């Protein structure tokens, strides 16, 4: 249990850093507002619908940055993996979506966040 708590604490730092970096990009903000991208349970950004080359490049760039952060944090937390860091962060990023934003449910469907809590993996704390 203790490693999971440490993982969650470290993922919280990623929760702040990952979106902050991406939100500086107006193309990301526009794609998010248009429902073209959304948060996935695995901690990475996904494309909702058909990708364009520009949208794919944007998502790839953001996901590369996220994986770097997850890797750094996993190395700092003894016993944690990149996948664990990404998953915990994915849980938190989905929880922080705003009404109208897209996110991926555990069953793979893309949903639009309403006023209610998002549908998340039951393993999310």
């Amino acid at each position: 249990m203790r490693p999971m708590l440490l993982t969650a604490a470290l993922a919280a730092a990623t929760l702040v850093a990952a979106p902050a970096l991406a939100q500086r990009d107006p193309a990301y903000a526009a794609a998010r507002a248009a429902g073209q991208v959304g948060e996935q349970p695995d901690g990475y950004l996904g494309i909702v619908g058909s990708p364009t080359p520009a949208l794919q490049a944007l998502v790839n760039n953001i996901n590369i940055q996220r994986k770097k952060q997850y890797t750094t944090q996993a190395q700092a937390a003894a016993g944690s993996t990149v996948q664990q860091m990404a998953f915990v962060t994915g849980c938190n990023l989905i929880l922080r979506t705003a009404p109208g934003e897209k996110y991926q449910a555990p069953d793979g469907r893309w949903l639009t966040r309403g006023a209610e809590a998002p549908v998340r993996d039951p393993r999310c704390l």
Side-chain angles (χ1 to χ4, degrees):
M1 185 69 166
R2 187 169 245 159
M4 187 61 170
L5 292 175
L6 180 58
T7 300
L10 290 171
T14 300
L15 177 64
V16 173
L21 292 173
Q23 288 174 355
R24 293 181 189 153
D25 184 343
Y28 167 75
R32 191 171 179 114
Q36 296 174 314
V37 298
E39 296 297 341
Q40 299 178 145
D42 64 0
Y44 295 95
L45 194 63
I47 296 175
V48 180
S50 301
T52 64
L55 187 59
Q56 188 66 61
L58 173 74
V59 168
N60 288 347
N61 183 48
I62 290 169
N63 286 338
I64 287 167
Q65 297 305 313
R66 287 185 181 189
K67 186 167 186 175
K68 284 180 186 177
Q69 289 179 322
Y70 301 151
T71 301
T72 299
Q73 291 173 335
Q75 291 169 344
S80 294
T81 67
V82 173
Q83 292 78 16
Q84 288 170 324
M85 289 294 183
F87 175 78
V88 171
T89 303
C91 289
N92 292 326
L93 289 171
I94 288 172
L95 186 61
R96 288 188 43 181
T97 55
E101 293 181 336
K102 296 286 188 180
Y103 70 95
Q104 195 173 41
D107 64 7
R109 291 177 299 142
W110 285 104
L111 302 175
T112 302
R113 174 78 187 263
E116 69 285 345
V119 179
R120 297 188 307 156
D121 188 293
R123 296 172 292 166
C124 293
L125 298 175

